[in-house]
Amino acid sequence: MSKIILIFASMSGNTEEMADAIAAGIKENDVDIEMIDIMDSPEATMLAEYDGIILGAYTWGDGDLPDDFLDFYDEMDDVDLTGKKAAVFGSGDTYYTHYCAAVDILSEKLKERGADIVMEGLKVELTPEDEDIENCQEFGREFIKKSVVSSM
């Protein structure tokens, strides 16, 4: 059975709500997922233990990764993710020039470390509405179809 991890950073609860919906979509396929809040200080080296990796973060200010994610992001430089399937999601505010830039920053880091990004990053404006929650669940379902099922 494939192992999936979802690590997220959420300040206002928006990204956590997205994470919960993505996990629900994954669980519909009888696949287990480990969810970790970045505030629980996971080590990036643990990513190597998983077949599927999903990272989620809100964008801080005008396009920055949240401070909570910085140490983990830097630690990723020491992790080989070749062959791992990955996807990224996050919340942001179109008021800023760089909407949901954290999604793009994390996607680039995963690619740089060798991961195969199997889906375009999912971006949600501020608080997820009903349609956004459904999109998050579908994101989880699609992640399984594009990563775990094809590798089983």
Side-chain angles (χ1 to χ4, degrees):
M1 168 92 44
S2 295
K3 291 175 60 176
I4 309 293
I5 188 166
L6 186 155
I7 299 175
F8 68 93
S10 187
M11 181 172 62
S12 63
N14 296 340
T15 309
E16 183 172 11
E17 191 173 351
M18 292 177 71
D20 289 340
I22 291 167
I26 288 171
K27 291 175 184 177
E28 287 176 12
N29 290 282
D30 292 324
V31 175
D32 289 330
I33 180 169
E34 182 173 357
M35 285 182 56
I36 300 175
D37 187 322
I38 199 72
M39 294 299 289
D40 292 334
S41 302
E43 293 189 17
T45 55
M46 72 187 306
L47 296 176
E49 302 169 19
Y50 293 85
D51 305 303
I53 300 165
I54 304 173
L55 300 180
Y58 61 94
T59 298
W60 181 250
D62 193 27
D64 296 321
L65 203 56
D67 287 347
D68 315 359
F69 232 107
L70 294 178
D71 289 341
F72 187 89
Y73 178 85
D74 289 341
E75 289 173 12
M76 287 175 67
D77 287 338
D78 299 324
V79 183
D80 180 6
L81 299 177
T82 302
K84 306 294 182 183
K85 306 299 183 188
V88 181
F89 69 95
S91 59
D93 187 343
T94 54
Y95 169 82
Y96 294 101
T97 306
H98 303 288
Y99 173 64
C100 283
V103 172
D104 303 325
I105 292 167
L106 291 172
S107 291
E108 284 305 311
K109 178 62 84 172
L110 287 164
K111 284 184 210 172
E112 177 187 302
R113 302 310 312 144
D116 178 17
I117 305 296
V118 296
M119 303 173 63
E120 183 177 331
L122 177 63
K123 300 177 179 182
V124 169
E125 171 81 9
L126 301 172
T127 304
E129 302 293 330
D130 290 344
E131 182 179 338
D132 298 317
I133 295 300
E134 177 54 41
N135 289 339
C136 289
Q137 291 170 341
E138 185 60 27
F139 187 83
R141 292 180 203 113
E142 285 299 311
F143 181 77
I144 295 304
K145 288 179 188 173
K146 293 182 177 189
S147 60
V148 177
V149 174
S150 62
S151 66
M152 292 175 113

